[in-house]
Structures are given as structure tokens and as C-alpha cells.
Amino acid sequence: MSVTTLHRPAHRDALTHLDDAFQRGDLVTVFGRCTVEYDGRASSSLGPGDRLLLLKPDGSALVHTDEGRTPVNWQPPGCDHFASVRDGRLRVRSVRRSPEELLDVRFERVHHLAAYDVTDPDELDLQGSEADLKEHILATPSRIEPGFEPLATERETDAGPMDIFGEDDAGRPVVVELKRRRVGPDAVGQLRRYVDALEREFGSGREIRGVLVAPSVTDRAKSLLDEEGLEFVALDPTTGRPPADATDAG
Amino acid sequence: MSVTTLHRPAHRDALTHLDDAFQRGDLVTVFGRCTVEYDGRASSSLGPGDRLLLLKPDGSALVHTDEGRTPVNWQPPGCDHFASVRDGRLRVRSVRRSPEELLDVRFERVHHLAAYDVTDPDELDLQGSEADLKEHILATPSRIEPGFEPLATERETDAGPMDIFGEDDAGRPVVVELKRRRVGPDAVGQLRRYVDALEREFGSGREIRGVLVAPSVTDRAKSLLDEEGLEFVALDPTTGRPPADATDAG
DNA sequence: CCCTCGATCTCGGAT
DNA sequence: ATCCGAGGTCGAGGG
């Protein structure tokens, strides 16, 4: 049976059902009036209300309200779920070690409980990531500029690995930092750290170029690039070509 | 009735139930064997498998598998959900404008459908945020250093608003950047941008101090701070005091 | 484990 | 609408 449910169960019956579902490795949903306490990296408290609790066999827990993509409370994968009945309430605790974190959901009333036998053989295939943009550039390096030659990807520096390291038609070293979407000041700082690291590594005489590649750039980020002597090239992550609205400066 | 459900419904019945639930403003879950297509900021494809679809009355949609805190596919709040039956399959589309995004879930088989009447009056009360750390410091500025005097919070600069602006016992301007958790290189770049902006603003003669406040720092971030002539103070966001394991350098 | 960074990040606040 | 930064971010990949 791929789905089993209980409507308005007594807490004892909900507990039995829940423990059986955990045993089977089902994904469980519990809907009811509850309070939620969290303590760990931060701590939070949520008064009584109707919410949907999802408990996954991988140890994740999600508390969803009627609003928001983000759960109001949660526990990441790897936790242990424990159900019990205390003070006439169904209580679900989800415990994490390292960092020590506890999620405690207490149901004053369970409206509905469902256990789903989930089997998902397929892996998500996603297009338009930064990795795709990198592939486009390696396939057609001239999109950066004529004569640009990639020499390495993920090349290590004291500031961490660069997205692409290469050289221009004059043989000057070039650091390329890729972003799949419009960039702000943080991306400029990241590029700057790589360029600084290479300047230390190559010695003070050598000029290192830094190129930020993204579909577009904010005004503040553009100013920062200019101040730092860094460059910008507008490319779309899905096509690897300049975006439709791209001027030279993006 | 706060919960209505259908077990292994015919697609037509599922559709009717779904439309009624949308009308009522219920939170809906659909569990079944489905494929998922997404196209928007990126695009993705997911072959047949059993998944749980959550549709919220605020327009969010979440596709959850048996693993992960993060949904395998989703749509943020503000979307419009449309259900239909095409080619003998239940199809749920969730559409967003600006950016234009589409989530398309096609059920070959619906194992279970539930509609929940969610009412949640309570707001989450969270402790241990960066805002709490700020309050601690404003209450006891000497935690930064003896003689430190806060003058403003969120004070504007060309690089955006600083967390805390103040001066030390010698009257030197101090930029304080707060983080609730262990900091890496990005936070150093952020602090640096504020210090640079103030140096331009105050003129070249004036020395501006920059202090990063967090429970701890990574090695690389510490090196960057040292190179830039910036400082670090170890404080815990929940207590406002030095963490138990804090040495001077954190 | 920790570090670093990408993400359809999400979310909120300010302009 | 865009910009900017916080987040219990999550998650992956590498050391």
C-alpha cells in the first residue's frame, strides 16, 4: 500500500501509525494544531496554530504554514525523529548532533496523518547553471575577447580556486569569475581576491587582468570594478552569448 | 471541514477536488507518480517518479522527494496555479510573471490528494540573529573594546549601510560589521568596502578602523583581515559575550 | 570534520 | 521594480 492515512486520530493511534511509518521508511505528513519550539544555531518559538509537518525518511523535518516557500521551522537531513504522547498531546521531536539542534512539535489536535511510500529513481537535470556558462566559454573562448585562451579551471590560489584561469592575446594572465545572474558588489570582491592572490604569486612586476562574466551588473558593482581596474563581459548562462539587452558595459 | 482527501482518485475527480480546494484557499498536497518540468531563471526536467506536491494558497508550489530539506522543484509565492486533465493525466501548472517562470507537474497516477484548511495566527519569534548581536553591543559597547562609543546604526556610505558606526577612545572613526556565525572571506570584503567608502568620504588624512564581530573566523578570513589592517572581535550572537572557546584572535 | 562557494537560493527592507 | 544583505540559509565538492 503506497499511502495510509488517519483522519482525526486519537493521539495514541497517531503515535502507532507514525512509528510504523518511520519503520517502513515512509514520508509522513501530520496536519494539526500545534506549537513548535526550536533550539540550536538559533532558537525560536511558535504559538498554537494549524500547520503541516513533513517528516522524511532521510531525517529531514519541515513545518509549513499556508505561506512561503521556506518552512517556518525545519530540521536538515540526518536527524532522528522521535514520536511520543505526553500530557495528552502527540509530540514529535527531531534531533540533530553537531551542531546540537532540537525541533519539538506538540500537537494539541491531529487533523490528519498520512504516510507515503516514496520511490523516486530519477535525478534532476538542470540547465542554466554557472557550470553551463563555463562550458560555453571553454567551447568558445573568444566570447570573452578575441585571443583569450583558457589554461585551467578551478586553478588554486591563496584565495581559493578561480573559475577560469587563462591568458590574453598578449600573454597576460587573466582571471575569469563567472556568475549565472546579475552581479553585485560581492562578486567584485571575490574576483579581486583572486587577482590579488595571483599578483602576490606572480610577483609585483606582472600585471594580472580580472574579468567578471555575468548577464549584467549593478551600478555599484560596475563602479567597484572600475575603481579596481577590473573588467566586465556580459554573457548569458543558458546561451553563452551576449544577452539581448547587453550594451558593451552590460 | 478542515481536511478533505481522495485516495487513488480518477484524474477528473482529482481535478474537481483540486479546483474546489484552490477556491477555498486550502493548502493542497498531491502525491503520485509524475514528471516535472521547470523553465524560468534556469530550466530543469525530472522523469517519472513518486513525489509530493504542495500547493499553497499564497501561490507557492513545492515538489518534494523522499530526500532533502530543499524541494527538488518549486515556485515562489505569488504564482497562479492551474489544474487540468490532458492526455489522461492530471496536470498542474504554476505560472509566475516577472520573471516569467513555469512549473509543470504531470501526474500519470494520483495516489492521494489532500486539502487542508490552514489557519496560523502566530508569528515566529526567533532569537540569536544578527539583530540580537547588535542589541547586545549597543547595550554594552565595551564588549568591542574599552572606550568604544556607537554613534549610529545602518549609517549610509557609498558602499551601503554599515551595521554600526562609532568611534574609539581616541576619537578615531570605527566601522563595525556583525555576523551571527563564523565568518569567511566574503565578510572581510564587505567590511573593507565600508572602510574604503569612509576613507574616501573623510578624506585621505583620516585613519578609519574596521572591526569584524562574529563568534569566530576562518584562517583565510583572518589572513585577509591582517593584510587589510582590519580587526576581529569574537562575540556570540545569543549572549553578546566572548564564546567559550574564544582566544584573542578567535 | 572544516572551508569555500553556488543557488531557479528565499526573504525583507529600502530606494 | 531593483538593489542589497541576512539566513538556523542548504548543498556540493574538496582537503
Side-chain angles (χ1 to χ4, degrees):
Chain A
M1 197 57 177
S2 79
V3 183
T4 59
T5 63
L6 292 178
H7 285 255
R8 300 194 159 275
H11 289 319
R12 285 276 160 209
D13 295 334
L15 175 60
T16 306
H17 207 85
L18 212 45
D19 282 335
D20 290 350
F22 287 167
Q23 211 69 35
R24 288 194 302 270
D26 282 0
L27 187 164
V28 178
T29 63
V30 186
F31 177 66
R33 187 172 166 83
C34 60
T35 61
V36 187
E37 304 291 323
Y38 156 73
D39 193 64
R41 287 166 292 175
S43 62
S44 72
S45 189
L46 197 55
D50 288 333
R51 287 134 205 158
L52 183 70
L53 169 65
L54 264 77
L55 297 166
K56 290 194 179 190
D58 72 347
S60 347
L62 312 171
V63 181
H64 271 284
T65 69
D66 58 336
E67 292 184 340
R69 211 227 46 154
T70 305
V72 64
N73 275 116
W74 69 90
Q75 206 67 294
C79 299
D80 293 313
H81 305 320
F82 302 99
S84 61
V85 175
R86 290 277 183 283
D87 305 327
R89 294 177 179 207
L90 178 69
R91 181 178 176 189
V92 179
R93 284 182 309 152
S94 178
V95 181
R96 181 189 192 187
R97 326 280 182 201
S98 173
E100 190 80 23
E101 292 195 294
L102 174 65
L103 182 71
D104 193 330
V105 185
R106 295 173 198 211
F107 288 91
E108 145 190 343
R109 184 97 190 239
V110 175
H111 300 315
H112 188 250
L113 192 156
Y116 301 106
D117 178 17
V118 183
T119 52
D120 187 350
D122 211 56
E123 292 289 308
L124 186 74
D125 175 29
L126 185 86
Q127 320 280 327
S129 64
E130 183 183 300
D132 294 317
L133 176 56
K134 184 193 295 181
E135 291 311 310
H136 282 299
I137 291 172
L138 295 178
T140 315
S142 61
R143 289 277 158 67
I144 300 295
E145 69 183 20
F148 173 69
E149 188 180 353
L151 297 174
T153 66
E154 307 303 320
R155 201 271 212 184
E156 273 299 333
T157 73
D158 281 355
M162 297 171 282
D163 285 336
I164 300 177
F165 176 65
E167 58 182 33
D168 65 15
D169 59 2
R172 276 182 298 246
V174 181
V175 180
V176 180
E177 172 62 30
L178 309 174
K179 294 293 171 196
R180 69 170 301 283
R181 61 173 196 173
R182 187 170 175 86
V183 289
D186 53 340
V188 181
Q190 201 180 336
L191 175 58
R192 185 188 190 285
R193 291 199 298 276
Y194 298 138
V195 170
D196 284 353
L198 278 200
E199 280 175 350
R200 285 194 302 272
E201 186 182 320
F202 279 62
S204 56
R206 205 68 184 278
E207 182 199 350
I208 311 287
R209 293 177 57 195
V211 180
L212 187 52
V213 178
S216 61
V217 65
T218 66
D219 287 348
R220 194 122 76 191
K222 188 67 181 69
S223 303
L224 282 170
L225 285 169
D226 293 345
E227 289 167 25
E228 311 272 2
L230 302 171
E231 303 161 57
F232 177 75
V233 171
L235 289 179
D236 182 280
T238 52
T239 64
R241 294 163 183 276
D245 61 347
T247 60
D248 250 25
Chain B
M1 196 57 177
S2 80
V3 184
T4 59
T5 64
L6 292 178
H7 286 254
R8 300 194 158 277
H11 289 319
R12 284 277 162 209
D13 295 334
L15 175 60
T16 305
H17 207 86
L18 212 44
D19 282 335
D20 290 350
F22 288 165
Q23 210 69 34
R24 287 194 303 271
D26 282 0
L27 188 163
V28 178
T29 63
V30 186
F31 177 66
R33 186 173 166 82
C34 61
T35 60
V36 186
E37 305 290 324
Y38 156 72
D39 193 64
R41 288 166 291 175
S43 62
S44 73
S45 190
L46 196 55
D50 288 333
R51 286 135 206 156
L52 183 69
L53 169 65
L54 263 77
L55 297 166
K56 292 194 179 190
D58 72 347
S60 347
L62 311 171
V63 181
H64 271 284
T65 68
D66 57 337
E67 292 184 339
R69 210 226 48 153
T70 306
V72 63
N73 277 114
W74 69 88
Q75 204 69 292
C79 299
D80 292 312
H81 304 319
F82 302 99
S84 60
V85 175
R86 290 277 183 285
D87 305 326
R89 295 178 179 207
L90 178 69
R91 181 178 177 189
V92 178
R93 283 182 310 152
S94 179
V95 182
R96 182 189 192 188
R97 326 281 182 201
S98 173
E100 190 80 24
E101 293 195 293
L102 175 64
L103 182 70
D104 193 330
V105 186
R106 293 173 199 212
F107 289 91
E108 146 190 343
R109 185 93 191 241
V110 175
H111 301 315
H112 188 250
L113 191 156
Y116 301 106
D117 178 17
V118 184
T119 52
D120 187 350
D122 213 55
E123 292 288 309
L124 186 75
D125 174 30
L126 185 83
Q127 320 279 328
S129 64
E130 183 182 299
D132 294 317
L133 177 55
K134 184 192 294 182
E135 292 310 310
H136 282 300
I137 291 172
L138 294 178
T140 314
S142 61
R143 289 276 157 68
I144 300 295
E145 69 183 21
F148 173 70
E149 188 180 353
L151 297 174
T153 66
E154 308 302 320
R155 200 271 211 183
E156 273 299 334
T157 72
D158 281 355
M162 298 171 282
D163 286 336
I164 299 178
F165 175 65
E167 58 183 33
D168 65 16
D169 58 3
R172 276 182 298 247
V174 181
V175 181
V176 180
E177 171 62 29
L178 308 174
K179 293 293 170 195
R180 67 171 303 282
R181 61 174 197 173
R182 186 171 176 84
V183 288
D186 53 339
V188 181
Q190 200 181 336
L191 176 58
R192 185 189 190 286
R193 291 199 297 276
Y194 298 138
V195 171
D196 284 354
L198 278 200
E199 281 176 349
R200 284 194 301 271
E201 186 182 321
F202 279 62
S204 55
R206 205 68 185 279
E207 182 199 350
I208 312 288
R209 294 176 57 196
V211 180
L212 187 53
V213 178
S216 60
V217 202
T218 68
D219 287 348
R220 194 121 75 189
K222 188 68 180 69
S223 302
L224 282 170
L225 285 169
D226 293 345
E227 289 168 25
E228 312 271 4
L230 302 170
E231 303 161 57
F232 177 75
V233 171
L235 288 180
D236 182 279
T238 52
T239 64
R241 294 164 183 276
D245 61 347
T247 61
D248 250 24

